[in-house]
Amino acid sequence: EARSDLLLWPEPDTLALLPWRPEQGRVVRMFTRITYPDGTPFECDTRSLLKDAMAAARKKGYTFYFGAEQEFYLFRLDEQGEPTKTPYDKAGYMDIAPDDRGENVRREICLTLEQMGIRPESSHHEEGPGQNEIDFRYADALTAADQAQTFQTIVKTVAHRNGLCADFSAKPLENAPGNGFHINLSVQPCDRDGMFRQIIAGVLEASEGDCRVTGTIAPLIELGAGFDMELTAKENIYLNGSLLGYRKEFIDEHFDDIVEFAELQSFMDMPLKNYSSGMVARIAFAIATITEPDILIVDETLSVGDYLFQQKCERRIQELVQSGNVTVLLVSHSIELVERICNRVCWIEKGQMRMVGPTDEVCEEYESLGK
């Protein structure tokens, strides 16, 4: 569909000089957003769609980082300057000069990228004849996308200046390896203060220091974790239970107790994707506390669902605490909940432990900030 009524809105923070263009009358690269004349965002503006996706992730408490690895072939040009299918060399994976003729071309590409403020991480010859790869450092999603677009333009430009043609297509040569576009993904919580509970649960490894945990752990650190939303509630009880280390025979024996505690007898055959967040919380809590784990990690799971079920869960936690057999690690912003359940508190602010001690002392100090 062709359109002639769209407006481009330059984004100045993406401006970068093109190093290979003449000194006089310099040329720049700059990305834009696209709207209709009335200012309404154009629904096919992929850059704006990516911005919306990033905002949605931040709202959920996460930031995504991407590191791209792009492969391309270098082919010779014919006498008329048209591309051929003759590879620039016959080198193989990780070969070096003189077999690897593309080494200086890749170096020129990387230096050009750096002149534009883009820092590649590494480069090497790939498996195919004339095939190369350049990898990028991790960056936020928008920056990584901008760099990927700019990268291909620079590669094609530098290749042409060297009498070559760069080919990013999936399968340039029939009997040689195809080109890959690998995307490495890293997800980090916006609130890094809460990462310690994931380290204790074994979801993450500590980057510094040691974390030693003995005994069984029942983590309730995120709604939906350990569930498949396409499966029914009944199927998910077995799935989640197995992830917590319960044998099928144990779940068979306690299945009715789990359903009774969750109070969802009429919804066991319904896919979890049709459940509300409160219903998912009921199932998760009932599975985790059907037995006495050595350590129970509870995040903000109790903040969803109806009031009466929250009270029911709180009473169950109190029972586990009073049994003397269970360590309950509660992560919460609710002072009232902490005061009701905990006998010792660790106050963490911006990733640093600010205070640890008896509940009344720490909570009093924390509340004094607002006075």
Side-chain angles (χ1 to χ4, degrees), residues 45-67:
D45 178 7
T46 53
R47 201 163 187 274
S48 293
L49 292 174
L50 180 55
K51 284 184 176 180
D52 292 341
M54 292 171 65
R58 282 194 300 271
K59 189 175 181 181
K60 293 285 188 180
Y62 296 97
T63 301
F64 287 75
Y65 296 91
F66 296 86

Side-chain angles (χ1 to χ4, degrees), residues 121-140:
E121 186 174 53
S122 62
S123 70
H124 63 269
H125 197 287
E126 262 297 332
E127 185 177 353
Q131 189 182 30
N132 302 266
E133 177 179 313
I134 296 181
D135 305 335
F136 286 85
R137 300 172 187 273
Y138 278 91
D140 65 86

Side-chain angles (χ1 to χ4, degrees), residues 135-248:
D135 305 335
F136 286 85
R137 300 172 187 273
Y138 278 91
D140 65 86
L142 194 62
T143 300
D146 291 347
Q147 290 179 352
Q149 289 284 70
T150 303
F151 170 71
Q152 294 200 7
T153 298
I154 292 176
V155 170
K156 293 176 182 178
T157 300
V158 172
H160 194 269
R161 286 194 340 202
N162 285 272
L164 302 167
C165 168
D167 192 332
F168 286 89
S169 63
K171 191 71 173 175
L173 296 175
E174 182 177 352
N175 297 315
N179 283 324
F181 187 158
H182 309 141
I183 301 177
N184 301 304
L185 171 64
S186 173
V187 187
Q188 297 182 6
C190 298
D191 176 17
R192 298 179 69 85
D193 294 352
M195 293 182 68
F196 81 97
R197 63 184 180 273
Q198 295 170 311
I199 294 173
I200 294 174
V203 178
L204 299 176
E205 291 187 1
S207 57
E208 296 180 6
D210 295 319
C211 178
R212 300 179 183 179
V213 180
T214 57
T216 59
I217 301 176
L220 290 170
I221 57 178
E222 182 178 350
L223 273 180
F227 291 107
D228 185 331
M229 294 300 167
E230 297 297 325
L231 300 180
T232 65
K234 181 177 181 179
E235 293 167 330
N236 269 291
I237 288 175
Y238 283 90
L239 171 62
N240 190 260
S242 66
L243 293 175
L244 292 177
Y246 300 158
R247 297 177 61 85
K248 182 180 181 300

Side-chain angles (χ1 to χ4, degrees), residues 1-9 32-50 52:
E1 181 181 0
R3 290 187 175 274
S4 60
D5 60 343
L6 298 175
L7 300 179
L8 301 180
W9 299 84
T32 68
R33 59 186 178 89
I34 308 173
T35 72
Y36 290 102
D38 64 359
T40 304
F42 179 48
E43 58 272 12
C44 296
D45 178 7
T46 53
R47 201 163 187 274
S48 293
L49 292 174
L50 180 55
D52 292 341

Side-chain angles (χ1 to χ4, degrees), residues 289-303:
T289 60
I290 194 60
T291 186
E292 290 189 351
D294 294 310
I295 302 175
L296 174 66
I297 305 177
V298 184
D299 195 349
E300 299 290 352
T301 311
L302 299 182
S303 64

